[in-house]
Amino acid sequence: MAGAAAAKCSDTSVTLRGDWGQARFSVEIADDAGERAQGLMHRTSLAGSAGMLFIYEEPQPLSFWMRNTLIPLDLLFIDSRGVVQHIHHNAVPLDESPLEGGSDALLAVLEINGGLSARMGITPGTELRHPAFAGRNPAWHC
């Protein structure tokens, strides 16, 4: 499981906090079209304390799918302030159905192992700390 929150921000980790507590995930960053298209495709596992953070240049509606993704994932859709707006739980491997973020003002998506959000108690309203949200009036400053 994810460990306790780190004291400072890092490009290679995200820290989440909410009524449920805090957690830290090591993340790979997908911040260009090629990296976002590849995502976590073709991987057979993902460490429990790891994830992938998809970052976009500007807030926008976001939709994902599980093409060529072999493991179930939770997708946390995050606004420009670093606040989780929607969670798609246990996305089905290889399913090409669109997974909508439910808002037109999303800046990022965090993918973690399927079922982990529910087990940890992560809900919409959870705040995420990462340098990507600096300069956007973040809910949780670095």
Side-chain angles (χ1 to χ4, degrees), residues 105-137:
L106 299 168
L107 187 70
V109 174
L110 175 63
E111 292 183 342
I112 59 177
N113 279 297
L116 194 52
S117 295
R119 285 194 303 276
M120 294 180 75
I122 299 170
T123 59
T126 292
E127 296 173 345
L128 186 140
R129 183 169 59 177
H130 185 272
F133 304 102
R136 294 185 178 271
N137 191 26

Side-chain angles (χ1 to χ4, degrees), residues 28 40-48 50-51 69-73 113:
E28 296 175 57
L40 292 171
M41 283 196 234
H42 307 292
R43 300 199 190 177
T44 57
S45 66
L46 180 65
T69 305
L70 307 176
I71 53 178
L73 297 171
N113 279 297

Side-chain angles (χ1 to χ4, degrees), residues 76-99:
L76 287 67
F77 291 88
I78 304 158
D79 70 14
S80 62
R81 296 191 64 227
V83 178
V84 174
Q85 296 298 310
H86 174 71
I87 300 173
H88 185 91
H89 297 273
N90 279 308
V92 177
L94 306 173
D95 186 358
E96 294 188 18
S97 302
L99 307 173

Side-chain angles (χ1 to χ4, degrees), residues 14-26:
V14 296
T15 309
L16 290 85
R17 72 176 178 188
D19 293 341
W20 52 271
Q22 293 188 4
R24 184 179 164 278
F25 293 89
S26 298

